[in-house]
Amino acid sequence: MTHAHHPIDTPPRAPSPVHRFGTLAVHAGSPHDPVTGAVIEAISLSTTFAQTAVGQPVGQYEYTRSANPNRDNFEKAVAALEHARFALAFSSGSATTANILQSLAAGSHVVSVSDVYGGTHRYFTKVAAAHGVQVTFSPSIELDIRELIRPDETKLIWIESPSNPTLSLVDIRAVATVAHQHGILVVVDNTFLSPYVQNPLDHGADIVVHSVTKYINGHSDVLMGAAAFNSPAIHDRLSFLQNAIGAVPSAFDCWLAHRGLKTLHLRAREASTNATAVARALEASPHVVSVNYPGLNSHPHRAIALKQHRNGMGGGMLSFRIRGGQAAAERFCQATQIFTLAESLGGVESLVEVPSSMTHAGIPQEQREAAGVFEDLVRLSCGIEDAEDLRADVLQALEKAVVGPKITNGWNGRA
Ligand SMILES: *Cc1c(COP(=O)(O)O)cnc(C)c1O
């Protein structure tokens, strides 16, 4: 939105980096409408914008794929929350990944953590490879990075921290320090924590990416992605591709996601509190083999969480191995009454799934188990319901899953 004219006397409201997260979430990219004074921006559905003379648009917009008011405002808000100078929104998290990979010349090499999001793994191996970009996966990138870098070829390091679904963490600063000695850019997929819990650019990353579909929108009703960064050169390249490839979100989706973003701090805080309560209950249960949650002191990378996450928070995601194998894992998902059996994460409602047969079914068993994704692994996305209800739901489902008979399909006890 242009700030040039203020026919209605609205006070200056541009939030600055001195403001804290909640203030930025509510106000960044949310100017009053300069004409009507509307506190909430209008949804600008127009695909085209009038010009007074050839090449002289009335305002700053010409055609909605290139830019539109709702996307601009949403991008400003994401940039503020990620401590970035710039942000760009895309039609999905996957489209964000595609645009970044597309920015690499043929012959480029990428080093990635091995347990990346399934769709990212698919893009790296099946799509990027087809345009001449090679990706090497590493299960322990902090240790292997120096060896895996190919002089002149490696252009990008791809990190997901925490990883999905085993919630292992990567020391972003340690990887970025080595990468930058070789002029290599570091990308961090921050979807699992959201900018409220972790700001990768503050730890040396060059680009942070999100599936906005998850925590940033937070209401499981928008598919969108975003990338944020500080470098004007990256901005030039990626905004060119954003327009040229055209995988952009609709104005309506930008408006919805921006509305969701305004409560991100409240939701992420509550989800993290709830996940902590659930993780502790699981850890104390005799029906559980092990719990993966970076908010627990038992987590092998707890020190990284304390360094990289706001107040050492663990976020809203966790996974655990249940006693009784795959059958018990499946029964558990059918026995929960508040957690809904579904893929995805980061919404206000709690979800449960079995990665080995759902989100990660595409990965060969041997590879999957090497990454810790066993058939008895259950993944939980804790929403913002009451912690005590979630804890009780998980405990009653464990009792049914581990000792009970298999519940017949078709009735799962949910409203
Ligand atoms: C969901 C997800 C993606 C892909 O995002 P879409 O919006 O579904 O395309 C990428 N990374 C992570 C970690 C995700 O959870």
Side-chain angles (χ1 to χ4, degrees):
M1 280 288 212
T2 173
H3 294 267
H5 303 288
H6 279 259
I8 290 174
D9 190 25
T10 53
R13 305 171 57 249
S16 74
V18 302
H19 289 109
R20 290 171 181 76
F21 193 98
T23 309
L24 291 171
V26 173
H27 292 291
S30 296
H32 295 157
D33 187 292
V35 177
T36 66
V39 169
I40 299 303
E41 63 174 327
I43 304 174
S44 184
L45 293 175
S46 187
T47 54
T48 189
F49 296 83
Q51 310 198 3
T52 50
V54 172
Q56 285 176 30
V58 172
Q60 66 190 93
Y61 300 107
E62 293 173 22
Y63 183 62
T64 192
R65 172 166 30 76
S66 312
N68 68 68
N70 298 107
R71 197 174 87 205
D72 269 7
N73 286 339
F74 175 75
E75 289 173 345
K76 280 197 187 97
V78 170
L81 299 190
E82 278 294 9
H83 304 166
R85 287 180 65 193
F86 310 101
L88 295 170
F90 298 89
S91 53
S92 66
S94 305
T96 312
T97 303
N99 271 256
I100 292 170
L101 268 285
Q102 195 64 46
S103 74
L104 302 175
S108 299
H109 173 245
V110 175
V111 178
S112 170
V113 295
S114 25
D115 44 353
V116 276
Y117 175 73
T120 303
H121 189 274
R122 182 175 55 209
Y123 193 90
F124 286 171
T125 52
K126 305 251 160 72
V127 186
H131 80 94
V133 171
Q134 267 190 41
V135 183
T136 305
F137 296 95
S138 164
S140 47
I141 201 161
E142 291 108 319
L143 303 176
D144 305 342
I145 176 88
R146 284 174 208 278
E147 277 169 44
L148 295 178
I149 288 173
R150 300 182 192 164
D152 303 326
E153 281 176 30
T154 308
K155 301 293 180 200
L156 208 70
I157 311 279
W158 193 280
I159 293 172
E160 236 178 78
S161 182
S163 69
N164 174 17
T166 55
L167 287 297
S168 60
L169 306 183
V170 171
D171 185 329
I172 298 168
R173 176 70 65 192
V175 174
T177 300
V178 178
H180 292 164
Q181 286 164 1
H182 297 81
I184 299 167
L185 296 180
V186 174
V187 180
V188 175
D189 183 335
N190 197 27
T191 298
F192 261 43
L193 288 180
S194 90
Y196 182 68
V197 180
Q198 176 173 265
N199 290 125
L201 300 186
D202 294 349
H203 302 288
D206 300 286
I207 302 177
V208 51
V209 302
H210 283 281
S211 169
V212 170
T213 317
K214 318 296 170 46
Y215 285 101
I216 292 181
N217 178 63
H219 295 74
S220 307
D221 50 12
V222 170
L223 182 79
M224 237 170 99
F229 37 81
N230 284 313
S231 151
I234 295 175
H235 182 252
D236 285 350
R237 184 78 185 128
L238 291 183
S239 63
F240 171 80
L241 290 172
Q242 180 194 40
N243 181 51
I245 295 174
V248 291
S250 73
F252 182 56
D253 280 350
C254 291
W255 187 91
L256 271 179
H258 197 164
R259 170 208 254 226
L261 172 150
K262 291 179 187 183
T263 56
L264 175 59
H265 49 303
L266 306 179
R267 292 183 287 101
R269 217 142 58 198
E270 202 65 9
S272 197
T273 302
N274 289 348
T276 305
V278 168
R280 288 195 180 132
L282 287 168
E283 202 170 41
S285 168
H287 304 318
V288 171
V289 179
S290 58
V291 180
N292 303 315
Y293 183 60
L296 291 177
N297 286 332
S298 60
H299 192 283
H301 307 139
R302 180 67 184 142
I304 299 177
L306 290 169
K307 186 170 76 161
Q308 266 172 208
H309 302 179
R310 179 189 300 267
N311 302 329
M313 294 166 92
M317 297 297 298
L318 62 105
S319 61
F320 67 98
R321 295 185 69 187
I322 193 168
R323 285 199 199 286
Q326 183 176 17
E330 289 184 10
R331 280 198 298 271
F332 177 88
C333 296
Q334 292 179 293
T336 52
Q337 297 186 337
I338 298 172
F339 285 82
T340 298
L341 175 52
E343 296 186 2
S344 200
L345 60 118
V348 292
E349 65 290 309
S350 293
L351 302 178
V352 58
E353 66 125 359
V354 179
S356 65
S357 33
M358 295 172 67
T359 47
H360 293 65
I363 307 172
Q365 181 175 0
E366 208 173 293
Q367 235 176 296
R368 204 170 60 214
E369 296 195 345
V373 187
F374 299 96
E375 289 179 337
D376 57 8
L377 189 78
V378 177
R379 189 187 80 178
L380 299 176
S381 170
C382 293
I384 62 165
E385 301 94 336
D386 286 282
E388 192 42 46
D389 290 334
L390 296 184
R391 209 179 72 90
D393 190 31
V394 163
L395 292 176
Q396 68 79 27
L398 278 176
E399 293 301 327
K400 286 187 187 138
V402 175
V403 298
K406 185 158 173 69
I407 298 161
T408 47
N409 281 325
W411 187 84
N412 60 11
R414 274 178 216 109

mmCIF file of all heavy atoms in Angstrom, residues 35-57:
data_model
loop_
_atom_site.group_PDB
_atom_site.id
_atom_site.type_symbol
_atom_site.label_atom_id
_atom_site.label_comp_id
_atom_site.label_asym_id
_atom_site.label_seq_id
_atom_site.Cartn_x
_atom_site.Cartn_y
_atom_site.Cartn_z
ATOM 1 N N VAL A 35 -7.612 5.673 1.965
ATOM 2 C CA VAL A 35 -8.793 6.362 1.437
ATOM 3 C C VAL A 35 -9.973 6.243 2.391
ATOM 4 O O VAL A 35 -10.602 7.241 2.744
ATOM 5 C CB VAL A 35 -9.174 5.806 0.044
ATOM 6 C CG1 VAL A 35 -10.446 6.471 -0.476
ATOM 7 C CG2 VAL A 35 -8.022 6.019 -0.929
ATOM 8 N N THR A 36 -10.281 5.033 2.856
ATOM 9 C CA THR A 36 -11.487 4.844 3.672
ATOM 10 C C THR A 36 -11.200 4.807 5.167
ATOM 11 O O THR A 36 -12.106 4.928 5.976
ATOM 12 C CB THR A 36 -12.162 3.507 3.324
ATOM 13 O OG1 THR A 36 -11.280 2.438 3.719
ATOM 14 C CG2 THR A 36 -12.452 3.400 1.838
ATOM 15 N N GLY A 37 -9.940 4.600 5.533
ATOM 16 C CA GLY A 37 -9.617 4.454 6.954
ATOM 17 C C GLY A 37 -9.856 3.052 7.471
ATOM 18 O O GLY A 37 -9.654 2.788 8.659
ATOM 19 N N ALA A 38 -10.296 2.152 6.611
ATOM 20 C CA ALA A 38 -10.542 0.772 7.052
ATOM 21 C C ALA A 38 -9.326 0.238 7.802
ATOM 22 O O ALA A 38 -8.196 0.351 7.328
ATOM 23 C CB ALA A 38 -10.852 -0.117 5.854
ATOM 24 N N VAL A 39 -9.580 -0.326 8.965
ATOM 25 C CA VAL A 39 -8.481 -0.843 9.796
ATOM 26 C C VAL A 39 -7.966 -2.155 9.209
ATOM 27 O O VAL A 39 -6.790 -2.475 9.289
ATOM 28 C CB VAL A 39 -8.976 -1.020 11.250
ATOM 29 C CG1 VAL A 39 -7.974 -1.791 12.095
ATOM 30 C CG2 VAL A 39 -9.242 0.356 11.862
ATOM 31 N N ILE A 40 -8.875 -2.937 8.635
ATOM 32 C CA ILE A 40 -8.506 -4.182 7.972
ATOM 33 C C ILE A 40 -8.488 -3.931 6.467
ATOM 34 O O ILE A 40 -9.442 -3.378 5.905
ATOM 35 C CB ILE A 40 -9.512 -5.295 8.320
ATOM 36 C CG1 ILE A 40 -9.519 -5.553 9.834
ATOM 37 C CG2 ILE A 40 -9.207 -6.580 7.542
ATOM 38 C CD1 ILE A 40 -8.169 -5.931 10.434
ATOM 39 N N GLU A 41 -7.426 -4.346 5.823
ATOM 40 C CA GLU A 41 -7.283 -4.081 4.385
ATOM 41 C C GLU A 41 -8.404 -4.749 3.588
ATOM 42 O O GLU A 41 -8.907 -5.812 3.974
ATOM 43 C CB GLU A 41 -5.924 -4.580 3.898
ATOM 44 C CG GLU A 41 -5.774 -6.091 4.041
ATOM 45 C CD GLU A 41 -4.486 -6.646 3.440
ATOM 46 O OE1 GLU A 41 -4.000 -6.104 2.439
ATOM 47 O OE2 GLU A 41 -3.980 -7.644 3.996
ATOM 48 N N ALA A 42 -8.740 -4.125 2.468
ATOM 49 C CA ALA A 42 -9.702 -4.726 1.551
ATOM 50 C C ALA A 42 -9.022 -5.869 0.804
ATOM 51 O O ALA A 42 -7.807 -5.906 0.696
ATOM 52 C CB ALA A 42 -10.183 -3.679 0.566
ATOM 53 N N ILE A 43 -9.832 -6.826 0.303
ATOM 54 C CA ILE A 43 -9.273 -7.877 -0.541
ATOM 55 C C ILE A 43 -9.298 -7.351 -1.968
ATOM 56 O O ILE A 43 -10.359 -7.030 -2.505
ATOM 57 C CB ILE A 43 -10.096 -9.180 -0.445
ATOM 58 C CG1 ILE A 43 -10.196 -9.619 1.009
ATOM 59 C CG2 ILE A 43 -9.456 -10.264 -1.299
ATOM 60 C CD1 ILE A 43 -11.108 -10.813 1.232
ATOM 61 N N SER A 44 -8.133 -7.234 -2.552
ATOM 62 C CA SER A 44 -8.013 -6.617 -3.861
ATOM 63 C C SER A 44 -8.057 -7.686 -4.942
ATOM 64 O O SER A 44 -7.035 -8.247 -5.322
ATOM 65 C CB SER A 44 -6.683 -5.848 -3.910
ATOM 66 O OG SER A 44 -6.574 -5.162 -5.125
ATOM 67 N N LEU A 45 -9.265 -7.978 -5.425
ATOM 68 C CA LEU A 45 -9.421 -9.084 -6.372
ATOM 69 C C LEU A 45 -9.088 -8.712 -7.812
ATOM 70 O O LEU A 45 -8.959 -9.583 -8.660
ATOM 71 C CB LEU A 45 -10.845 -9.636 -6.293
ATOM 72 C CG LEU A 45 -11.210 -10.331 -4.973
ATOM 73 C CD1 LEU A 45 -12.674 -10.729 -4.962
ATOM 74 C CD2 LEU A 45 -10.326 -11.544 -4.720
ATOM 75 N N SER A 46 -8.979 -7.425 -8.081
ATOM 76 C CA SER A 46 -8.716 -6.997 -9.457
ATOM 77 C C SER A 46 -7.409 -7.599 -9.968
ATOM 78 O O SER A 46 -6.390 -7.556 -9.289
ATOM 79 C CB SER A 46 -8.635 -5.466 -9.520
ATOM 80 O OG SER A 46 -8.543 -5.059 -10.869
ATOM 81 N N THR A 47 -7.462 -8.163 -11.183
ATOM 82 C CA THR A 47 -6.234 -8.726 -11.739
ATOM 83 C C THR A 47 -5.404 -7.657 -12.431
ATOM 84 O O THR A 47 -4.214 -7.840 -12.662
ATOM 85 C CB THR A 47 -6.564 -9.832 -12.766
ATOM 86 O OG1 THR A 47 -7.461 -9.295 -13.726
ATOM 87 C CG2 THR A 47 -7.182 -11.044 -12.087
ATOM 88 N N THR A 48 -6.054 -6.530 -12.800
ATOM 89 C CA THR A 48 -5.313 -5.498 -13.529
ATOM 90 C C THR A 48 -5.606 -4.120 -12.947
ATOM 91 O O THR A 48 -6.610 -3.936 -12.243
ATOM 92 C CB THR A 48 -5.625 -5.562 -15.033
ATOM 93 O OG1 THR A 48 -4.732 -4.702 -15.729
ATOM 94 C CG2 THR A 48 -7.067 -5.209 -15.336
ATOM 95 N N PHE A 49 -4.724 -3.178 -13.189
ATOM 96 C CA PHE A 49 -4.803 -1.866 -12.553
ATOM 97 C C PHE A 49 -4.700 -0.787 -13.638
ATOM 98 O O PHE A 49 -3.831 -0.853 -14.516
ATOM 99 C CB PHE A 49 -3.681 -1.726 -11.516
ATOM 100 C CG PHE A 49 -3.828 -2.730 -10.387
ATOM 101 C CD1 PHE A 49 -3.357 -4.036 -10.530
ATOM 102 C CD2 PHE A 49 -4.481 -2.394 -9.201
ATOM 103 C CE1 PHE A 49 -3.511 -4.971 -9.507
ATOM 104 C CE2 PHE A 49 -4.638 -3.321 -8.174
ATOM 105 C CZ PHE A 49 -4.156 -4.616 -8.322
ATOM 106 N N ALA A 50 -5.595 0.198 -13.557
ATOM 107 C CA ALA A 50 -5.693 1.209 -14.611
ATOM 108 C C ALA A 50 -4.426 2.064 -14.714
ATOM 109 O O ALA A 50 -3.726 2.281 -13.730
ATOM 110 C CB ALA A 50 -6.904 2.104 -14.340
ATOM 111 N N GLN A 51 -4.192 2.530 -15.936
ATOM 112 C CA GLN A 51 -3.055 3.411 -16.200
ATOM 113 C C GLN A 51 -3.581 4.735 -16.757
ATOM 114 O O GLN A 51 -4.550 4.763 -17.519
ATOM 115 C CB GLN A 51 -2.101 2.751 -17.214
ATOM 116 C CG GLN A 51 -1.755 1.309 -16.823
ATOM 117 C CD GLN A 51 -0.517 0.746 -17.503
ATOM 118 O OE1 GLN A 51 0.171 1.440 -18.253
ATOM 119 N NE2 GLN A 51 -0.232 -0.519 -17.215
ATOM 120 N N THR A 52 -2.961 5.831 -16.385
ATOM 121 C CA THR A 52 -3.411 7.151 -16.869
ATOM 122 C C THR A 52 -2.810 7.473 -18.225
ATOM 123 O O THR A 52 -3.348 8.235 -19.014
ATOM 124 C CB THR A 52 -2.998 8.268 -15.891
ATOM 125 O OG1 THR A 52 -1.604 8.103 -15.606
ATOM 126 C CG2 THR A 52 -3.794 8.172 -14.599
ATOM 127 N N ALA A 53 -1.662 6.919 -18.494
ATOM 128 C CA ALA A 53 -1.011 7.060 -19.805
ATOM 129 C C ALA A 53 -0.261 5.761 -20.003
ATOM 130 O O ALA A 53 -0.081 4.994 -19.053
ATOM 131 C CB ALA A 53 -0.050 8.249 -19.806
ATOM 132 N N VAL A 54 0.171 5.520 -21.218
ATOM 133 C CA VAL A 54 0.845 4.254 -21.489
ATOM 134 C C VAL A 54 2.064 4.102 -20.576
ATOM 135 O O VAL A 54 2.910 4.990 -20.512
ATOM 136 C CB VAL A 54 1.262 4.174 -22.980
ATOM 137 C CG1 VAL A 54 2.128 2.941 -23.229
ATOM 138 C CG2 VAL A 54 0.019 4.139 -23.862
ATOM 139 N N GLY A 55 2.074 3.005 -19.822
ATOM 140 C CA GLY A 55 3.200 2.760 -18.923
ATOM 141 C C GLY A 55 3.145 3.574 -17.648
ATOM 142 O O GLY A 55 4.110 3.610 -16.895
ATOM 143 N N GLN A 56 1.987 4.255 -17.384
ATOM 144 C CA GLN A 56 1.883 5.042 -16.147
ATOM 145 C C GLN A 56 0.680 4.610 -15.326
ATOM 146 O O GLN A 56 -0.400 5.217 -15.407
ATOM 147 C CB GLN A 56 1.779 6.539 -16.471
ATOM 148 C CG GLN A 56 3.110 7.118 -16.908
ATOM 149 C CD GLN A 56 3.005 8.572 -17.336
ATOM 150 O OE1 GLN A 56 2.169 9.324 -16.847
ATOM 151 N NE2 GLN A 56 3.841 8.965 -18.271
ATOM 152 N N PRO A 57 0.854 3.544 -14.535
ATOM 153 C CA PRO A 57 -0.259 3.097 -13.711
ATOM 154 C C PRO A 57 -0.643 4.149 -12.673
ATOM 155 O O PRO A 57 0.191 4.959 -12.270
ATOM 156 C CB PRO A 57 0.290 1.833 -13.034
ATOM 157 C CG PRO A 57 1.763 1.876 -13.202
ATOM 158 C CD PRO A 57 2.062 2.735 -14.374
#
